[in-house]
Amino acid sequence: MFDPGGVLDVAIRKADGTTAVDLGRSGAPPLPVAPALAPILPDGLRRGSTVSVTGSLSLLLALLGAASAEGAWCALVGFPRVSAEAAHEYGIELSRLAIVPAPGAGWTTAVGALLDAVDIVAARPARITPGDVRRLAARARSRDAVLVPFLAGADSWPGADVRLTARAGAWSGIGGGTGRLRGRQVSVSAEGRGHAARPRATTLWLPAPGGGVAGAEAPTPAIKLVS
């Protein structure tokens, strides 16, 4: 459970009660990412930003892993099938992970409340409307949190600071009809605006043969599985 007593939140407020300067949060350093993700996120996860992820739930979990391992609080909203074992494999500290598997129609309310309380909120949107996008992005900026929408297919999150896209790759571990799947290489691209305006790309083991995420030189030939 999140303990608000461990957070120093000092603010200078205007006469009408709105925040003028938030001394407890402004200027916070970026959150770290795994070394394998450095080619596409060289500055880590910038607080107050929105980073969309498309194409791979493993990429989403890997994105959270390093920050969680170093003390960040994370939340998953709308992911009913994510197992604790899968999250832990990518470095996520389960004692600092909040899970809301089925927020229903009130998913934006859940995400907004969590952005007030934790460092990174990853959410599978029930729907995407311009108003929701603006409100949640503004909430992330005002609280120095990181919003991570997880998208499927051709969906997009307008105005995302960084857009990460994973494309299907080849599995390894099966040879001559024997063995088991141990790792997969995927191509990941990053585009965005501001500091992320220059497109970047890399190839990752996701998952790596030993678990987690690791860098890869180039994709291996695809393995055709015959049932």
Side-chain angles (χ1 to χ4, degrees), residues 173-219:
I174 294 180
T178 62
R180 62 177 182 172
L181 299 175
R182 296 182 180 275
R184 181 181 64 162
Q185 290 193 17
V186 299
S187 299
V188 180
S189 62
E191 298 178 314
R193 57 183 186 175
H195 295 296
R198 183 168 69 88
R200 302 174 185 270
T202 191
T203 303
L204 302 173
W205 282 106
L206 199 67
V213 59
E217 291 294 328

mmCIF file of all heavy atoms in Angstrom, residues 173-219:
data_model
loop_
_atom_site.group_PDB
_atom_site.id
_atom_site.type_symbol
_atom_site.label_atom_id
_atom_site.label_comp_id
_atom_site.label_asym_id
_atom_site.label_seq_id
_atom_site.Cartn_x
_atom_site.Cartn_y
_atom_site.Cartn_z
ATOM 1 N N GLY A 173 15.374 -21.212 -29.551
ATOM 2 C CA GLY A 173 15.335 -22.263 -28.544
ATOM 3 C C GLY A 173 14.913 -23.599 -29.089
ATOM 4 O O GLY A 173 15.113 -24.634 -28.455
ATOM 5 N N ILE A 174 14.320 -23.595 -30.280
ATOM 6 C CA ILE A 174 13.898 -24.858 -30.883
ATOM 7 C C ILE A 174 14.861 -25.199 -32.017
ATOM 8 O O ILE A 174 15.102 -24.388 -32.904
ATOM 9 C CB ILE A 174 12.465 -24.772 -31.431
ATOM 10 C CG1 ILE A 174 11.478 -24.592 -30.284
ATOM 11 C CG2 ILE A 174 12.113 -26.029 -32.220
ATOM 12 C CD1 ILE A 174 10.044 -24.502 -30.722
ATOM 13 N N GLY A 175 15.401 -26.396 -31.993
ATOM 14 C CA GLY A 175 16.312 -26.831 -33.044
ATOM 15 C C GLY A 175 15.974 -28.236 -33.491
ATOM 16 O O GLY A 175 15.887 -29.155 -32.676
ATOM 17 N N GLY A 176 15.760 -28.425 -34.759
ATOM 18 C CA GLY A 176 15.476 -29.748 -35.293
ATOM 19 C C GLY A 176 14.212 -30.370 -34.708
ATOM 20 O O GLY A 176 14.129 -31.594 -34.560
ATOM 21 N N GLY A 177 13.252 -29.519 -34.341
ATOM 22 C CA GLY A 177 12.002 -30.034 -33.801
ATOM 23 C C GLY A 177 12.026 -30.350 -32.332
ATOM 24 O O GLY A 177 11.056 -30.879 -31.794
ATOM 25 N N THR A 178 13.120 -30.018 -31.655
ATOM 26 C CA THR A 178 13.209 -30.298 -30.225
ATOM 27 C C THR A 178 13.517 -29.014 -29.467
ATOM 28 O O THR A 178 13.885 -28.007 -30.054
ATOM 29 C CB THR A 178 14.313 -31.322 -29.926
ATOM 30 O OG1 THR A 178 15.586 -30.764 -30.339
ATOM 31 C CG2 THR A 178 14.066 -32.623 -30.674
ATOM 32 N N GLY A 179 13.425 -29.085 -28.142
ATOM 33 C CA GLY A 179 13.720 -27.926 -27.306
ATOM 34 C C GLY A 179 12.460 -27.160 -26.958
ATOM 35 O O GLY A 179 11.344 -27.648 -27.139
ATOM 36 N N ARG A 180 12.653 -25.929 -26.435
ATOM 37 C CA ARG A 180 11.512 -25.098 -26.081
ATOM 38 C C ARG A 180 11.852 -23.633 -26.354
ATOM 39 O O ARG A 180 13.024 -23.253 -26.422
ATOM 40 C CB ARG A 180 11.136 -25.284 -24.623
ATOM 41 C CG ARG A 180 12.209 -24.878 -23.647
ATOM 42 C CD ARG A 180 11.702 -25.046 -22.227
ATOM 43 N NE ARG A 180 12.696 -24.609 -21.245
ATOM 44 C CZ ARG A 180 12.466 -24.511 -19.950
ATOM 45 N NH1 ARG A 180 11.266 -24.808 -19.481
ATOM 46 N NH2 ARG A 180 13.412 -24.118 -19.122
ATOM 47 N N LEU A 181 10.825 -22.833 -26.509
ATOM 48 C CA LEU A 181 11.021 -21.410 -26.789
ATOM 49 C C LEU A 181 11.660 -20.745 -25.571
ATOM 50 O O LEU A 181 11.169 -20.864 -24.452
ATOM 51 C CB LEU A 181 9.696 -20.738 -27.125
ATOM 52 C CG LEU A 181 8.977 -21.286 -28.367
ATOM 53 C CD1 LEU A 181 7.619 -20.625 -28.522
ATOM 54 C CD2 LEU A 181 9.811 -21.084 -29.619
ATOM 55 N N ARG A 182 12.780 -20.049 -25.780
ATOM 56 C CA ARG A 182 13.507 -19.445 -24.666
ATOM 57 C C ARG A 182 13.636 -17.932 -24.773
ATOM 58 O O ARG A 182 13.779 -17.249 -23.762
ATOM 59 C CB ARG A 182 14.915 -20.064 -24.563
ATOM 60 C CG ARG A 182 14.889 -21.541 -24.231
ATOM 61 C CD ARG A 182 16.292 -22.085 -24.087
ATOM 62 N NE ARG A 182 16.286 -23.502 -23.760
ATOM 63 C CZ ARG A 182 16.178 -23.991 -22.536
ATOM 64 N NH1 ARG A 182 16.073 -23.156 -21.510
ATOM 65 N NH2 ARG A 182 16.178 -25.285 -22.314
ATOM 66 N N GLY A 183 13.656 -17.389 -25.966
ATOM 67 C CA GLY A 183 13.824 -15.949 -26.113
ATOM 68 C C GLY A 183 13.300 -15.479 -27.455
ATOM 69 O O GLY A 183 13.116 -16.271 -28.378
ATOM 70 N N ARG A 184 13.023 -14.184 -27.555
ATOM 71 C CA ARG A 184 12.514 -13.627 -28.808
ATOM 72 C C ARG A 184 13.198 -12.306 -29.092
ATOM 73 O O ARG A 184 13.392 -11.488 -28.191
ATOM 74 C CB ARG A 184 11.003 -13.413 -28.712
ATOM 75 C CG ARG A 184 10.391 -12.844 -29.994
ATOM 76 C CD ARG A 184 8.903 -12.630 -29.872
ATOM 77 N NE ARG A 184 8.586 -11.625 -28.856
ATOM 78 C CZ ARG A 184 7.399 -11.004 -28.783
ATOM 79 N NH1 ARG A 184 6.442 -11.307 -29.641
ATOM 80 N NH2 ARG A 184 7.195 -10.116 -27.836
ATOM 81 N N GLN A 185 13.579 -12.108 -30.337
ATOM 82 C CA GLN A 185 14.148 -10.838 -30.758
ATOM 83 C C GLN A 185 13.065 -9.997 -31.422
ATOM 84 O O GLN A 185 12.342 -10.483 -32.296
ATOM 85 C CB GLN A 185 15.314 -11.060 -31.712
ATOM 86 C CG GLN A 185 16.545 -11.649 -31.025
ATOM 87 C CD GLN A 185 17.786 -11.562 -31.893
ATOM 88 O OE1 GLN A 185 17.815 -10.796 -32.855
ATOM 89 N NE2 GLN A 185 18.802 -12.324 -31.555
ATOM 90 N N VAL A 186 12.960 -8.749 -31.012
ATOM 91 C CA VAL A 186 11.967 -7.842 -31.589
ATOM 92 C C VAL A 186 12.650 -6.527 -31.956
ATOM 93 O O VAL A 186 13.639 -6.129 -31.343
ATOM 94 C CB VAL A 186 10.802 -7.571 -30.614
ATOM 95 C CG1 VAL A 186 10.079 -8.858 -30.265
ATOM 96 C CG2 VAL A 186 11.294 -6.896 -29.354
ATOM 97 N N SER A 187 12.101 -5.867 -32.946
ATOM 98 C CA SER A 187 12.570 -4.540 -33.340
ATOM 99 C C SER A 187 11.693 -3.498 -32.662
ATOM 100 O O SER A 187 10.462 -3.588 -32.709
ATOM 101 C CB SER A 187 12.500 -4.367 -34.858
ATOM 102 O OG SER A 187 13.333 -5.313 -35.498
ATOM 103 N N VAL A 188 12.327 -2.527 -32.013
ATOM 104 C CA VAL A 188 11.587 -1.492 -31.289
ATOM 105 C C VAL A 188 12.011 -0.129 -31.819
ATOM 106 O O VAL A 188 13.204 0.177 -31.924
ATOM 107 C CB VAL A 188 11.856 -1.566 -29.775
ATOM 108 C CG1 VAL A 188 11.066 -0.482 -29.053
ATOM 109 C CG2 VAL A 188 11.468 -2.942 -29.237
ATOM 110 N N SER A 189 11.029 0.701 -32.166
ATOM 111 C CA SER A 189 11.312 2.052 -32.641
ATOM 112 C C SER A 189 10.740 3.066 -31.661
ATOM 113 O O SER A 189 9.782 2.787 -30.932
ATOM 114 C CB SER A 189 10.703 2.276 -34.027
ATOM 115 O OG SER A 189 9.288 2.140 -33.984
ATOM 116 N N ALA A 190 11.360 4.235 -31.642
ATOM 117 C CA ALA A 190 10.913 5.324 -30.767
ATOM 118 C C ALA A 190 10.814 6.598 -31.586
ATOM 119 O O ALA A 190 11.754 6.974 -32.295
ATOM 120 C CB ALA A 190 11.879 5.511 -29.607
ATOM 121 N N GLU A 191 9.675 7.256 -31.490
ATOM 122 C CA GLU A 191 9.458 8.554 -32.131
ATOM 123 C C GLU A 191 8.772 9.451 -31.119
ATOM 124 O O GLU A 191 8.270 8.991 -30.106
ATOM 125 C CB GLU A 191 8.584 8.398 -33.381
ATOM 126 C CG GLU A 191 9.197 7.530 -34.450
ATOM 127 C CD GLU A 191 8.263 7.376 -35.639
ATOM 128 O OE1 GLU A 191 7.059 7.124 -35.414
ATOM 129 O OE2 GLU A 191 8.735 7.527 -36.770
ATOM 130 N N GLY A 192 8.746 10.728 -31.410
ATOM 131 C CA GLY A 192 8.073 11.623 -30.475
ATOM 132 C C GLY A 192 8.276 13.071 -30.839
ATOM 133 O O GLY A 192 8.384 13.432 -32.007
ATOM 134 N N ARG A 193 8.371 13.890 -29.812
ATOM 135 C CA ARG A 193 8.532 15.316 -30.010
ATOM 136 C C ARG A 193 9.545 15.839 -28.995
ATOM 137 O O ARG A 193 9.917 15.150 -28.053
ATOM 138 C CB ARG A 193 7.194 16.035 -29.851
ATOM 139 C CG ARG A 193 6.519 15.797 -28.510
ATOM 140 C CD ARG A 193 5.174 16.461 -28.439
ATOM 141 N NE ARG A 193 4.579 16.351 -27.119
ATOM 142 C CZ ARG A 193 3.450 16.923 -26.763
ATOM 143 N NH1 ARG A 193 2.789 17.665 -27.647
ATOM 144 N NH2 ARG A 193 2.968 16.784 -25.546
ATOM 145 N N GLY A 194 9.976 17.072 -29.191
ATOM 146 C CA GLY A 194 10.958 17.636 -28.269
ATOM 147 C C GLY A 194 12.259 16.860 -28.306
ATOM 148 O O GLY A 194 12.837 16.628 -29.376
ATOM 149 N N HIS A 195 12.714 16.398 -27.132
ATOM 150 C CA HIS A 195 13.954 15.646 -27.053
ATOM 151 C C HIS A 195 13.871 14.317 -27.808
ATOM 152 O O HIS A 195 14.901 13.747 -28.161
ATOM 153 C CB HIS A 195 14.307 15.367 -25.590
ATOM 154 C CG HIS A 195 14.611 16.612 -24.805
ATOM 155 N ND1 HIS A 195 15.687 17.425 -25.101
ATOM 156 C CD2 HIS A 195 13.987 17.183 -23.749
ATOM 157 C CE1 HIS A 195 15.701 18.441 -24.259
ATOM 158 N NE2 HIS A 195 14.680 18.326 -23.434
ATOM 159 N N ALA A 196 12.667 13.831 -28.049
ATOM 160 C CA ALA A 196 12.496 12.545 -28.724
ATOM 161 C C ALA A 196 12.137 12.702 -30.198
ATOM 162 O O ALA A 196 11.672 11.756 -30.822
ATOM 163 C CB ALA A 196 11.417 11.737 -28.009
ATOM 164 N N ALA A 197 12.339 13.893 -30.756
ATOM 165 C CA ALA A 197 11.925 14.145 -32.131
ATOM 166 C C ALA A 197 12.714 13.314 -33.138
ATOM 167 O O ALA A 197 12.196 12.960 -34.200
ATOM 168 C CB ALA A 197 12.073 15.633 -32.460
ATOM 169 N N ARG A 198 13.967 13.004 -32.819
ATOM 170 C CA ARG A 198 14.767 12.201 -33.751
ATOM 171 C C ARG A 198 14.412 10.726 -33.583
ATOM 172 O O ARG A 198 14.574 10.166 -32.499
ATOM 173 C CB ARG A 198 16.260 12.407 -33.496
ATOM 174 C CG ARG A 198 17.167 11.651 -34.475
ATOM 175 C CD ARG A 198 18.590 12.126 -34.342
ATOM 176 N NE ARG A 198 19.185 11.738 -33.090
ATOM 177 C CZ ARG A 198 19.816 10.571 -32.882
ATOM 178 N NH1 ARG A 198 19.880 9.679 -33.860
ATOM 179 N NH2 ARG A 198 20.364 10.305 -31.718
ATOM 180 N N PRO A 199 13.942 10.054 -34.661
ATOM 181 C CA PRO A 199 13.567 8.646 -34.550
ATOM 182 C C PRO A 199 14.764 7.776 -34.161
ATOM 183 O O PRO A 199 15.895 8.007 -34.595
ATOM 184 C CB PRO A 199 13.069 8.295 -35.959
ATOM 185 C CG PRO A 199 12.699 9.600 -36.576
ATOM 186 C CD PRO A 199 13.671 10.598 -36.007
ATOM 187 N N ARG A 200 14.511 6.790 -33.328
ATOM 188 C CA ARG A 200 15.541 5.845 -32.891
ATOM 189 C C ARG A 200 14.992 4.432 -33.031
ATOM 190 O O ARG A 200 13.777 4.228 -33.015
ATOM 191 C CB ARG A 200 15.941 6.100 -31.429
ATOM 192 C CG ARG A 200 16.467 7.497 -31.152
ATOM 193 C CD ARG A 200 16.703 7.708 -29.657
ATOM 194 N NE ARG A 200 17.096 9.073 -29.343
ATOM 195 C CZ ARG A 200 18.352 9.503 -29.310
ATOM 196 N NH1 ARG A 200 19.344 8.653 -29.548
ATOM 197 N NH2 ARG A 200 18.637 10.765 -29.021
ATOM 198 N N ALA A 201 15.889 3.469 -33.142
ATOM 199 C CA ALA A 201 15.467 2.073 -33.247
ATOM 200 C C ALA A 201 16.538 1.171 -32.662
ATOM 201 O O ALA A 201 17.723 1.520 -32.630
ATOM 202 C CB ALA A 201 15.183 1.699 -34.695
ATOM 203 N N THR A 202 16.110 0.024 -32.196
ATOM 204 C CA THR A 202 17.047 -0.966 -31.668
ATOM 205 C C THR A 202 16.407 -2.338 -31.770
ATOM 206 O O THR A 202 15.203 -2.461 -32.029
ATOM 207 C CB THR A 202 17.429 -0.657 -30.211
ATOM 208 O OG1 THR A 202 18.521 -1.485 -29.814
ATOM 209 C CG2 THR A 202 16.251 -0.914 -29.273
ATOM 210 N N THR A 203 17.218 -3.375 -31.583
ATOM 211 C CA THR A 203 16.723 -4.745 -31.550
ATOM 212 C C THR A 203 16.965 -5.307 -30.162
ATOM 213 O O THR A 203 18.061 -5.162 -29.613
ATOM 214 C CB THR A 203 17.426 -5.621 -32.601
ATOM 215 O OG1 THR A 203 17.251 -5.040 -33.895
ATOM 216 C CG2 THR A 203 16.855 -7.030 -32.610
ATOM 217 N N LEU A 204 15.952 -5.923 -29.597
ATOM 218 C CA LEU A 204 16.018 -6.409 -28.226
ATOM 219 C C LEU A 204 15.695 -7.888 -28.141
ATOM 220 O O LEU A 204 14.920 -8.416 -28.949
ATOM 221 C CB LEU A 204 15.021 -5.655 -27.337
ATOM 222 C CG LEU A 204 15.140 -4.139 -27.239
ATOM 223 C CD1 LEU A 204 13.951 -3.592 -26.452
ATOM 224 C CD2 LEU A 204 16.456 -3.739 -26.587
ATOM 225 N N TRP A 205 16.306 -8.542 -27.150
ATOM 226 C CA TRP A 205 15.791 -9.828 -26.693
ATOM 227 C C TRP A 205 14.665 -9.515 -25.720
ATOM 228 O O TRP A 205 14.888 -8.887 -24.691
ATOM 229 C CB TRP A 205 16.878 -10.631 -25.978
ATOM 230 C CG TRP A 205 17.859 -11.302 -26.870
ATOM 231 C CD1 TRP A 205 19.154 -10.931 -27.098
ATOM 232 C CD2 TRP A 205 17.635 -12.497 -27.634
ATOM 233 N NE1 TRP A 205 19.755 -11.805 -27.972
ATOM 234 C CE2 TRP A 205 18.841 -12.784 -28.319
ATOM 235 C CE3 TRP A 205 16.530 -13.342 -27.808
ATOM 236 C CZ2 TRP A 205 18.966 -13.887 -29.154
ATOM 237 C CZ3 TRP A 205 16.672 -14.438 -28.650
ATOM 238 C CH2 TRP A 205 17.870 -14.708 -29.309
ATOM 239 N N LEU A 206 13.440 -9.985 -26.062
ATOM 240 C CA LEU A 206 12.274 -9.622 -25.258
ATOM 241 C C LEU A 206 11.241 -10.756 -25.320
ATOM 242 O O LEU A 206 10.388 -10.739 -26.202
ATOM 243 C CB LEU A 206 11.680 -8.323 -25.799
ATOM 244 C CG LEU A 206 10.746 -7.512 -24.910
ATOM 245 C CD1 LEU A 206 11.495 -6.941 -23.730
ATOM 246 C CD2 LEU A 206 10.106 -6.389 -25.707
ATOM 247 N N PRO A 207 11.309 -11.763 -24.457
ATOM 248 C CA PRO A 207 12.249 -11.866 -23.340
ATOM 249 C C PRO A 207 13.604 -12.387 -23.788
ATOM 250 O O PRO A 207 13.725 -13.010 -24.838
ATOM 251 C CB PRO A 207 11.558 -12.892 -22.425
ATOM 252 C CG PRO A 207 10.842 -13.789 -23.390
ATOM 253 C CD PRO A 207 10.337 -12.878 -24.476
ATOM 254 N N ALA A 208 14.618 -12.122 -22.970
ATOM 255 C CA ALA A 208 15.945 -12.671 -23.210
ATOM 256 C C ALA A 208 15.945 -14.150 -22.837
ATOM 257 O O ALA A 208 15.114 -14.599 -22.044
ATOM 258 C CB ALA A 208 16.981 -11.914 -22.379
ATOM 259 N N PRO A 209 16.870 -14.938 -23.382
ATOM 260 C CA PRO A 209 16.920 -16.364 -23.047
ATOM 261 C C PRO A 209 17.009 -16.633 -21.548
ATOM 262 O O PRO A 209 16.483 -17.621 -21.057
ATOM 263 C CB PRO A 209 18.166 -16.849 -23.783
ATOM 264 C CG PRO A 209 18.266 -15.931 -24.965
ATOM 265 C CD PRO A 209 17.812 -14.590 -24.451
ATOM 266 N N GLY A 210 17.656 -15.735 -20.799
ATOM 267 C CA GLY A 210 17.756 -15.904 -19.358
ATOM 268 C C GLY A 210 16.700 -15.147 -18.585
ATOM 269 O O GLY A 210 16.736 -15.092 -17.355
ATOM 270 N N GLY A 211 15.729 -14.547 -19.305
ATOM 271 C CA GLY A 211 14.689 -13.765 -18.662
ATOM 272 C C GLY A 211 14.964 -12.273 -18.746
ATOM 273 O O GLY A 211 16.105 -11.843 -18.912
ATOM 274 N N GLY A 212 13.940 -11.469 -18.635
ATOM 275 C CA GLY A 212 14.107 -10.020 -18.679
ATOM 276 C C GLY A 212 14.333 -9.513 -20.085
ATOM 277 O O GLY A 212 13.923 -10.116 -21.069
ATOM 278 N N VAL A 213 15.038 -8.384 -20.193
ATOM 279 C CA VAL A 213 15.296 -7.748 -21.478
ATOM 280 C C VAL A 213 16.793 -7.577 -21.663
ATOM 281 O O VAL A 213 17.529 -7.333 -20.714
ATOM 282 C CB VAL A 213 14.587 -6.368 -21.558
ATOM 283 C CG1 VAL A 213 15.053 -5.435 -20.444
ATOM 284 C CG2 VAL A 213 14.789 -5.714 -22.923
ATOM 285 N N ALA A 214 17.253 -7.723 -22.914
ATOM 286 C CA ALA A 214 18.677 -7.563 -23.231
ATOM 287 C C ALA A 214 18.794 -7.053 -24.654
ATOM 288 O O ALA A 214 17.891 -7.231 -25.481
ATOM 289 C CB ALA A 214 19.430 -8.882 -23.071
ATOM 290 N N GLY A 215 19.910 -6.398 -24.954
ATOM 291 C CA GLY A 215 20.154 -5.921 -26.303
ATOM 292 C C GLY A 215 20.500 -7.071 -27.234
ATOM 293 O O GLY A 215 20.972 -8.122 -26.806
ATOM 294 N N ALA A 216 20.252 -6.883 -28.518
ATOM 295 C CA ALA A 216 20.563 -7.894 -29.524
ATOM 296 C C ALA A 216 21.155 -7.194 -30.734
ATOM 297 O O ALA A 216 20.802 -6.063 -31.050
ATOM 298 C CB ALA A 216 19.314 -8.673 -29.907
ATOM 299 N N GLU A 217 22.029 -7.881 -31.438
ATOM 300 C CA GLU A 217 22.678 -7.286 -32.599
ATOM 301 C C GLU A 217 21.716 -7.166 -33.776
ATOM 302 O O GLU A 217 21.579 -6.134 -34.382
ATOM 303 C CB GLU A 217 23.892 -8.130 -33.001
ATOM 304 C CG GLU A 217 25.033 -8.072 -32.008
ATOM 305 C CD GLU A 217 25.637 -6.684 -31.935
ATOM 306 O OE1 GLU A 217 25.644 -5.975 -32.965
ATOM 307 O OE2 GLU A 217 26.102 -6.310 -30.836
ATOM 308 N N ALA A 218 21.057 -8.263 -34.122
ATOM 309 C CA ALA A 218 20.156 -8.263 -35.269
ATOM 310 C C ALA A 218 19.206 -9.432 -35.131
ATOM 311 O O ALA A 218 19.524 -10.427 -34.484
ATOM 312 C CB ALA A 218 20.948 -8.376 -36.581
ATOM 313 N N PRO A 219 18.027 -9.348 -35.746
ATOM 314 C CA PRO A 219 17.079 -10.452 -35.653
ATOM 315 C C PRO A 219 17.629 -11.720 -36.277
ATOM 316 O O PRO A 219 18.350 -11.688 -37.270
ATOM 317 C CB PRO A 219 15.859 -9.942 -36.419
ATOM 318 C CG PRO A 219 16.010 -8.463 -36.455
ATOM 319 C CD PRO A 219 17.481 -8.193 -36.477
#
